[in-house]
Amino acid sequence: MVPQTAGCPLNSPETLLATAPVDPAPLPVVDEAGLIGGRYRILRPLGEGGMGAVYLADDLQQGGQAAIKTIRPELADNAEVRARIRRERSLHASVVAHPNIVALRDTVEENGRLYLVLEYCPGETLARRLARGAPLTPGQSLHLIRQLLGALAAIHSRDIVHRDIKTANIILQPQTDGPPLVKLTDFGIAGVRDSDTTLASGDTITATLAYAAPEQLGGRPLDHRADQYSLGCTLYWLLTGSAPLKATCQEERSRPSISSSAR
């Protein structure tokens, strides 16, 4: 496989659903022309996790590039996993186009595989920026949070709770004429307010403890306030350099796991 590109926002497992270390994901199945869905030509891998991998692709119909999220072949026929991906697709597709949310551009189902085609956002995650020792000033932090509040307002107006607001799911896309454009990504464990507080039967949500609201950790019904709590934890981290709950902080290491039936 082609080496991952440094600095790419989807270049790290922290942006994906990941479990224990797994073998590298095989390349997606392509047609005789080397395409997915008759239009997407895979260029290189961007990131990988326990559920699958994300690839950079050229869109030969509309032009430009896209990020294609795949499912591992051994999970492709698992009803639980497919239901999770279809839910992610449905919830993401219901979000009104917003400049601060990574857009779902297309979905492809062929050869028994399911692909999500996402907007490709060059840049880096906020987690990566902080990890390389490039903190934001208080003014930059507040500018970032204001953009994210707009993104949350858009999804909450649709009764969607993201449930995984954290620095690894925030992309900073450089701009030539000002501060970075903030993009919220990864609706993998999003749910509908009050009616979808857990994953499908058999799944286990391992929330990122430094950001998760108490009601989320307790398995109680969630609404928009859970995301606001997580965003508040993110701002606290930006302003102080540490998590508000140091005893439980496992920065970007706790992720949703797949039940034994799906492995």
Side-chain angles (χ1 to χ4, degrees), residues 43-169:
L43 299 177
R44 63 177 181 269
L46 295 175
E48 190 171 331
M51 286 280 289
V54 178
Y55 297 88
L56 179 65
D58 279 334
D59 184 344
L60 302 186
Q61 285 188 13
Q62 294 188 354
Q65 296 180 323
I68 302 203
K69 185 173 182 178
T70 69
I71 305 174
R72 290 180 171 276
E74 63 269 27
L75 300 177
D77 294 329
N78 182 276
E80 178 183 311
V81 172
R82 293 182 72 85
R84 181 190 297 187
I85 296 298
R86 286 197 172 97
R87 183 184 63 181
E88 177 181 358
R89 174 182 63 184
S90 175
L91 292 178
H92 202 156
S94 71
V95 176
V96 176
H98 192 279
N100 299 119
I101 299 175
V102 174
L104 177 65
R105 293 176 47 176
D106 192 10
T107 60
V108 177
E109 287 194 59
E110 63 180 12
N111 300 317
R113 305 291 181 88
L114 176 61
Y115 305 100
L116 299 183
V117 182
L118 304 168
E119 172 189 9
Y120 173 58
C121 303
E124 64 181 345
T125 64
L126 178 57
R128 179 158 304 208
R129 171 162 178 163
L130 297 175
R132 64 180 175 84
L136 280 68
T137 66
Q140 290 172 328
S141 299
L142 292 176
H143 181 71
L144 179 153
I145 294 297
R146 280 194 292 268
Q147 294 184 67
L148 289 171
L149 285 171
L152 290 184
I155 67 173
H156 294 162
S157 69
R158 299 282 177 163
D159 286 338
I160 296 172
V161 184
H162 187 280
R163 299 195 298 183
D164 203 19
I165 304 296
K166 59 184 180 182
T167 57
N169 286 337

